[in-house]
Amino acid sequence: MPIRSATMMFVLILGAAACGSSESAAREAGPPASVEQLVSTIGCASSHIQIDADELRQGICETPQGRYTITTFVTEKGKRDWLDYAQMYGGIYLVGTRWAVIASPDLLETLRGRTGGQIEDLSHSSQ
């Protein structure tokens, strides 16, 4: 399934989950890095916001080395739910405080040196 279709399903699921959560649990303290801050750190030649929803924002950016999909979340729980759902599609993600980046593994390793975070490989399920 293309990333764009999978992303839209994530948004729908997160939106449904958010409807049942309390306002006090909806936000964590302190802002995460924004999509724009991560785009700047990556050094993208071009970028655009693909999703701007209450529970997450997602941007796409291009560099000569490759393409990045950057998603920021309002809560850590929202990020974790998104990653749990993404596991069915597999992939490798660079994950930080309330953000996740999708790109090729070599690009993620390079970016990790500048942003911190950890690499999560969702392509293999635990048994």
Side-chain angles (χ1 to χ4, degrees):
M1 173 178 283
I3 290 175
R4 178 176 231 156
S5 298
T7 300
M8 292 309 294
M9 284 201 280
F10 297 151
V11 169
L12 293 172
I13 287 171
L14 285 175
C19 291
S21 66
S22 70
E23 186 64 30
S24 63
R27 301 200 183 265
E28 328 265 291
S34 69
V35 170
E36 291 79 8
Q37 288 167 326
L38 290 165
V39 162
S40 177
T41 298
I42 293 168
C44 297
S46 65
S47 66
H48 69 276
I49 298 296
Q50 179 174 303
I51 298 171
D52 193 356
D54 290 341
E55 59 279 336
L56 66 84
R57 291 185 75 223
Q58 185 172 77
I60 305 294
C61 77
E62 303 278 340
T63 69
Q65 294 75 35
R67 179 181 173 158
Y68 296 81
T69 301
I70 304 157
T71 308
T72 59
F73 304 88
V74 174
T75 66
E76 275 296 315
K77 181 180 181 334
K79 177 188 78 180
R80 193 75 256 155
D81 290 347
W82 185 86
L83 287 167
D84 289 347
Y85 189 78
Q87 190 165 14
M88 78 170 57
Y89 298 101
I92 298 175
Y93 302 76
L94 176 60
V95 180
T97 303
R98 297 185 347 212
W99 57 264
V101 176
I102 304 166
S104 67
D106 58 321
L107 292 177
L108 294 178
E109 281 295 339
T110 300
L111 181 58
R112 182 178 179 206
R114 293 181 286 188
T115 61
Q118 61 186 22
I119 302 289
E120 291 196 28
D121 185 347
L122 303 181
S123 57
H124 302 101
S125 59
S126 306
Q127 299 196 3

